[in-house]
């Protein structure tokens, strides 16, 4: 399979106001008794997009996916697919297919029969079914396993059968519920790229639900971060990571240091906050808050510098003591405890071979960050 | 030391069920089988030869020659017995099919019910066992007889002007068997349906199956082990059933259980009665073996 590379870079229909939305989720609410799983949610997904719903368990992402598949009915709001309202259309009449988290392979049928199941249902002629099945088996590299039963396959192979089965009908949209959840780490990483290649090759729209942020970051064109039935931010992986719009998103994706302080200045030249201990920190990023409000300046660990001596020209530097060191091989993470008790996480890439470090436990250390490394979060 | 002990224990664990089978199944079977090879006689017990060591070993071996398969030849020569077997198998088969038709929707409904009410439903299925089987069958006489509750009710509704004759017909036997053996059908069906993964049905729907098609293509094939278990649990005792045909079926019904009873107690012909029992056992063992193999295969596939 060819790699995707540059063709993907220019894919950004969401930035084009003339682009026609493909899936429109409009003010959708889903209640189960007293519990609101999805709360007045609005979302737009474009054709050929690889869209990820990312959130912790119970955030409503699976419920949203099941509403797209037709397994749940929205309590309010509507869902449009290619302009058509999906309300009242049962799952077996929807042009979408779902890959289930448990795979839901039919245990009494062979791999072949599983893949052919949807096609037979459609009334496709026999010859064509056989042709399509061979094609799907080839796509997921399971040609030798056609006659096996699901219980005779490994977890990874079952995942591929489930994928082949859900793709066999050439759905307009493929819904994937934690597609890689049951695979081990190594297989998961390989499969991520295969899924991306497949989606690109077939030109389909994928909506994937996951709780694994790395998975979402790797595969998706855009990610929607969900919490308590709401979407907090919808953006490309770099935007989510570098420009989170809230503390929840910043904290959920990757790890981040937060410095709380009162907003002192904001303007075209950036923002400035003052921490309770009187230390001022400044950032190039604008602040979406009123001067005088409490805000958070957030900096990713890899954007923090740690040094044994006070840095010469650093604007934002704070003094503390090395509290913990985690040596991971490719990088080292320093946990520096500031004098006010805040623990700051700073990671350095070990680009040179060196054994033994100048900084060690309980040394005095300075952590600093450049003004363009921080974002200011008001909520 | 410890290993030797555990090896002994492991063998003991296997020995216990086999010893049970030997003492309570195989030995009685051979006694019945031996009687079936004897001749009836006006004696105590009512057949010859009898074996005992009172006259010494040689006399005992000498009498072995007196055993014969005459009774079996007699059984197959008389259409009464052949017909009784055939009609028993037929009645049991029809009843089993009816029980399945009634039991499947019940089990399905129970398996799909909210998990909070399932224990209650299960209780209700088992509840009839708390009353004596005999009394429950007797109660059906009161319901089915010409001036019984059913006819009175239908008269009241104005559906009929002549009483329905149900009691002392095969229909009454079907009703009795379906009613009595329903729990044996529902419980294994419920057990298989309850543990079935509902996402399979959703997946079938997702792939274009309307609910009814999904049932026949997914739910039903996957519940076959339960269907088989339920059918065996109903069919096997129903073939040899005596109480229900005797009480509800009237004197004209021909079932092997009744024939057996007549031979033993009315004709006092123990050898023929024993031969009838042996043949019945063979008729029943065949489906049991079939069932065992099907179950082993299902277990293999379900892994």
């Amino acid at each position: 399979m060819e790699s995707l590379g540059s063709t993907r870079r220019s894919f950004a229909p969401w930035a084009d106001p003339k682009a026609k939305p493909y899936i429109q989720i409009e003010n959708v609410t889903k209640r189960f008794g007293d519990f609101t799983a999805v709360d007045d949610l609005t979302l737009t997904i474009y054709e050929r997009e690889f869209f990820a719903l990312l959130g912790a368990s119970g955030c409503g992402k699976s419920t949203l996916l099941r509403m797209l598949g037709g397994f749940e009915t929205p309590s309010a709001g509507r869902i449009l697919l290619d302009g058509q309202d999906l309300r009242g259309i049962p799952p077996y009449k929807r042009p979408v297919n779902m890959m289930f988290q448990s795979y839901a392979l039919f245990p009494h049928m062979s791999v072949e029969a599983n893949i052919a199941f949807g096609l037979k249902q459609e009334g496709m002629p026999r010859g064509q079914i056989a042709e399509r099945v061979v094609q799907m088996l080839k796509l997921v590299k399971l040609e030798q396993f056609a006659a096996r039963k699901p219980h005779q396959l490994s977890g990874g192979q079952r995942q591929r059968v489930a994928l082949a089965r859900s793709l066999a009908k050439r759905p307009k949209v493929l819904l994937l519920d934690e597609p890689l959840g049951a695979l081990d780490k190594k297989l998961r990483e390989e499969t991520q790229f295969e899924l991306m290649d497949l989606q690109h090759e077939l030109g389909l729209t994928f909506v994937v639900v996951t709780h694994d942020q790395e998975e979402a970051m790797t595969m998706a064109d855009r990610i929607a971060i969900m919490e308590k039935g709401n979407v907090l931010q919808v953006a490309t992986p770099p935007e989510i990571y570098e420009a989170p719009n809230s503390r929840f998103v910043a904290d959920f994706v990757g790890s981040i240091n937060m410095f709380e302080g009162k907003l002192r200045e904001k303007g075209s030249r950036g923002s400035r906050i003052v921490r309770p201990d009187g230390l001022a920190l400044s950032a190039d990023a604008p602040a979406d808050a009123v001067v005088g409000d409490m805000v958070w300046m957030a900096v990713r660990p890899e954007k923090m510098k740690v040094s044994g001596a006070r840095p010469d020209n650093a604007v934002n530097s704070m003094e503390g003591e090395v509290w913990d060191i985690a040596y991971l091989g490719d990088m080292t993470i320093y946990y520096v405890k500031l004098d006010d008790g805040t623990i700051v996480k700073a990671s350095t890439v070990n680009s040179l071979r060196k054994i033994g470090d100048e900084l060690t436990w309980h040394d005095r250390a300075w952590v600093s960050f450049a003004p363009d490394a921080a974002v200011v979060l008001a909520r | 030391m410890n290993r030797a002990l555990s090896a002994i224990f492991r063998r003991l664990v296997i020995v216990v069920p086999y010893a049970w089978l030997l003492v309570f199944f195989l030995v009685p079977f051979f006694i019945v089988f031996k009687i079936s090879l004897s001749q009836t006689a006006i004696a105590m017990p009512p057949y010859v030869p009898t074996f005992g060591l009172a006259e010494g070993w040689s006399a005992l071996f000498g009498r072995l020659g007196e055993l014969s398969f005459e009774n079996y030849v007699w059984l197959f020569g008389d259409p009464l017995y052949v017909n009784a077997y055939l009609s028993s198998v037929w009645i049991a088969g029809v009843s089993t099919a009816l029980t399945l038709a009634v039991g499947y929707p019940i089990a399905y409904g129970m398996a799909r019910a909210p998990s909070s009410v399932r224990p209650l439903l299960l209780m209700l299925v088992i509840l009839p066992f708390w009353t004596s089987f005999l009394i429950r069958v007797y109660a059906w006489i009161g319901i089915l007889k010409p001036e019984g509750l059913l006819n009175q009710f239908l008269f009241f509704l104005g559906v009929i002007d002549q009483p329905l004759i149900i009691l002392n017909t095969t229909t009454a036997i079907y009703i009795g068997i379906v009613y009595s053996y329903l729990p044996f059908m529902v419980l294994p069906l419920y057990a298989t349906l309850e543990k079935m993964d509902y996402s399979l049905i959703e997946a079938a729907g997702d792939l274009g199956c309307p609910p009814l098609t999904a049932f026949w293509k997914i739910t039903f094939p996957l519940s076959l082990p339960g269907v088989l278990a339920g059918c065996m649990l109903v069919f096997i005792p129903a073939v040899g059933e005596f109480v229900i045909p005797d009480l509800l079926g009237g004197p004209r019904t021909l079932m092997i259980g009744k024939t057996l009873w007549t031979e033993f107690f009315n004709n006092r012909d123990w050898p023929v009665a024993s031969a009838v029992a042996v043949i019945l056992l063979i008729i029943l063992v065949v489906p049991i073996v079939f069932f065992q193999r099907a179950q082993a295969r299902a277990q293999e596939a379900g892994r």
Side-chain angles (χ1 to χ4, degrees):
Chain A
M1 274 178 228
E2 39 121 34
S3 100
L4 355 146
S6 56
T7 50
R8 232 161 213 280
R9 293 278 174 268
S10 56
F11 179 77
W14 51 88
D16 176 6
K18 278 179 291 181
K20 205 175 118 219
Y22 198 55
I23 302 172
Q24 289 159 281
I25 299 164
E26 293 177 350
N27 304 97
V28 165
T29 298
K30 177 69 189 179
R31 279 181 291 267
F32 295 103
D34 292 339
F35 176 69
T36 305
V38 173
D39 191 5
D40 195 23
L41 186 144
T42 298
L43 202 60
T44 303
I45 298 169
Y46 294 87
E47 200 168 359
R48 292 172 174 250
E49 193 173 356
F50 200 132
F51 194 90
L53 297 167
L54 177 63
S57 62
C59 71
K61 57 189 194 302
S62 286
T63 306
L64 185 61
L65 197 76
R66 288 174 59 80
M67 284 195 278
L68 284 171
F71 303 111
E72 306 287 355
T73 322
S75 309
R78 58 176 196 162
I79 299 171
L80 303 172
L81 174 66
D82 205 7
Q84 186 199 4
D85 193 341
L86 290 179
R87 175 166 287 275
I89 300 180
Y92 57 91
K93 284 187 184 155
R94 293 196 181 199
V96 300
N97 279 138
M98 173 125 134
M99 190 187 140
F100 290 80
Q101 185 174 7
S102 63
Y103 306 148
L105 297 177
F106 305 130
H108 57 306
M109 295 182 194
S110 66
V111 166
E112 224 167 2
N114 262 285
I115 297 173
F117 188 86
L119 302 170
K120 268 190 201 154
Q121 223 46 56
E122 220 173 46
M124 189 187 254
R126 232 170 232 218
Q128 255 171 288
I129 292 181
E131 211 173 284
R132 179 73 66 86
V133 168
V134 168
Q135 193 187 341
M136 295 318 297
L137 284 170
K138 212 167 170 183
L139 192 70
V140 294
K141 301 176 198 131
L142 283 176
E143 293 102 316
Q144 295 95 353
F145 299 94
R148 295 254 186 117
K149 289 275 179 68
H151 73 270
Q152 296 167 313
L153 300 175
S154 72
Q157 288 164 339
R158 274 181 229 181
Q159 191 264 357
R160 285 150 189 273
V161 176
L163 186 64
R165 187 179 71 178
S166 56
L167 283 173
K169 284 182 76 178
R170 301 269 158 81
K172 285 182 173 176
V173 178
L174 183 66
L175 309 171
L176 303 105
D177 190 0
E178 303 273 5
L180 311 176
L183 304 183
D184 60 61
K185 193 168 187 290
K186 204 158 178 193
L187 197 57
R188 197 159 59 214
E189 282 168 6
E190 283 171 29
T191 315
Q192 279 174 5
F193 289 104
E194 283 176 11
L195 266 184
M196 290 161 71
D197 287 347
L198 217 66
Q199 186 255 349
H200 186 66
E201 207 170 296
L202 301 172
L204 297 176
T205 308
F206 274 28
V207 181
V208 56
V209 152
T210 177
H211 68 274
D212 183 333
Q213 41 145 320
E214 230 173 90
E215 198 174 294
M217 297 281 276
T218 311
M219 299 195 294
D221 291 311
R222 279 191 310 158
I223 299 172
I225 308 281
M226 287 186 66
E227 196 221 6
K228 289 182 187 152
N230 279 304
V231 166
L232 295 182
Q233 188 172 10
V234 184
T236 62
E239 281 166 357
I240 292 272
Y241 190 76
E242 302 295 356
N245 67 356
S246 59
R247 283 192 297 151
F248 182 87
V249 172
D251 202 38
F252 189 76
V253 179
S255 59
I256 201 154
N257 298 299
M258 305 265 195
F259 302 103
E260 194 177 359
K262 202 171 262 176
L263 185 64
R264 185 55 64 81
E265 248 176 66
K266 68 167 205 169
S268 55
R269 283 174 43 227
S271 343
R272 207 172 148 77
I273 68 162
V274 176
R275 280 170 37 90
D277 61 2
L279 186 76
L281 298 173
S282 56
D284 290 350
D288 184 21
V290 183
V291 172
D293 278 0
M294 289 304 270
V295 294
W296 291 267
M297 202 164 270
V299 191
R300 298 278 180 200
E302 73 278 6
K303 296 180 177 67
M304 301 285 315
K305 281 200 187 70
V306 60
S307 53
R310 175 183 287 281
D312 298 334
N313 54 353
V315 207
N316 306 309
S317 70
M318 288 158 278
E319 195 183 346
E321 180 185 309
V322 176
W323 190 250
D324 231 331
I325 303 173
Y327 174 75
L328 303 179
D330 55 344
M331 60 178 188
T332 306
I333 299 169
Y334 294 94
Y335 294 87
V336 177
K337 191 177 188 183
L338 301 186
D339 295 338
D340 68 346
T342 319
I343 293 193
V344 176
K345 193 175 169 187
S347 58
T348 35
V349 174
N350 297 325
S351 49
L352 297 174
R353 294 183 63 219
K354 56 179 179 182
I355 297 169
D357 217 320
E358 56 268 33
L359 271 179
T360 182
W361 277 266
H362 305 304
D363 279 355
R364 292 304 286 175
W366 277 263
V367 284
S368 59
F369 61 90
D372 63 357
V375 287
V376 182
L377 303 171
R379 59 186 171 106
Chain B
M1 170 64 204
N2 232 339
R3 278 183 80 160
L5 249 175
S6 83
I8 290 170
F9 272 117
R10 219 174 308 149
R11 270 190 210 141
L12 262 178
V13 165
I14 303 169
V15 161
V16 169
Y18 277 100
W20 180 278
L21 271 179
L22 188 76
V23 173
F24 294 107
F25 180 78
L26 224 51
V27 171
F29 172 76
F30 275 112
I31 293 171
V32 170
F33 183 62
K34 188 246 138 193
I35 296 174
S36 78
L37 300 179
S38 314
Q39 279 83 46
T40 171
I42 300 173
M44 195 65 183
Y47 53 85
V48 284
T50 47
F51 294 111
L53 284 176
E55 295 160 58
W57 283 99
S58 56
L60 194 149
F61 284 115
R63 286 201 187 148
L64 274 180
E66 292 175 34
L67 296 176
S68 78
F69 282 92
E70 209 173 287
N71 291 320
Y72 292 91
V73 178
W74 155 258
L75 275 191
F76 285 104
D78 189 336
L80 169 81
Y81 299 104
V82 178
N83 287 343
Y85 280 121
L86 289 178
S87 114
S88 293
V89 168
W90 170 254
I91 289 175
V94 171
S95 316
T96 305
L98 290 173
T99 314
L100 178 65
V102 175
Y104 203 104
I106 295 176
Y108 189 86
M110 281 168 66
R112 289 279 164 274
S115 52
S116 55
V117 296
R118 276 184 218 164
L120 177 74
L121 293 173
L122 211 56
M123 253 281 285
L124 289 174
V125 168
I126 302 167
L127 203 63
F129 286 130
W130 289 12
T131 327
S132 152
F133 169 69
L134 207 58
I135 290 173
R136 281 183 285 133
V137 177
Y138 252 108
W140 275 103
I141 298 178
I143 297 171
L144 297 177
K145 64 186 176 185
E147 65 279 18
L149 288 173
L150 179 67
N151 276 318
Q152 282 179 21
F153 181 66
L154 291 177
F155 269 126
F156 169 76
L157 286 183
V159 182
I160 51 168
D161 49 13
Q162 286 288 315
L164 293 176
I165 304 300
I166 301 174
L167 195 66
N168 296 340
T169 66
T170 324
T171 314
I173 301 182
Y174 292 148
I175 292 174
I177 293 180
V178 170
Y179 166 76
S180 305
Y181 290 100
L182 196 60
F184 297 106
M185 181 63 86
V186 170
L187 293 177
L189 275 175
Y190 169 73
T192 39
L193 287 170
E194 198 245 19
K195 63 171 192 252
M196 220 182 78
D197 182 3
Y198 190 67
S199 68
L200 293 177
I201 308 300
E202 287 190 338
D206 186 64
L207 293 165
C209 253
L212 198 65
T213 321
F215 173 80
W216 285 115
K217 291 203 159 177
I218 310 297
T219 312
F220 190 72
L222 287 176
S223 68
L224 276 179
V227 171
L228 246 159
C231 286
M232 290 297 147
L233 286 177
V234 174
F235 181 79
I236 293 167
V239 171
E241 181 58 54
F242 167 70
V243 172
I244 295 171
D246 193 51
L247 292 182
L248 302 179
R252 271 173 306 138
T253 26
L254 197 58
M255 273 188 88
I256 203 68
K258 274 186 74 178
T259 311
L260 200 60
W261 174 278
T262 315
E263 291 298 344
F264 254 114
F265 296 99
N266 297 8
N267 297 356
R268 269 182 75 80
D269 191 342
W270 286 24
V272 167
S274 300
V276 169
V278 169
I279 300 279
L280 179 62
L281 188 80
I282 291 166
I283 292 175
L284 294 181
V285 160
V286 173
I288 292 174
V289 169
F290 172 71
F291 169 58
Q292 289 283 5
R293 285 184 52 188
Q295 247 201 347
R297 225 180 313 132
Q299 246 168 17
E300 185 73 18
R303 254 189 315 119

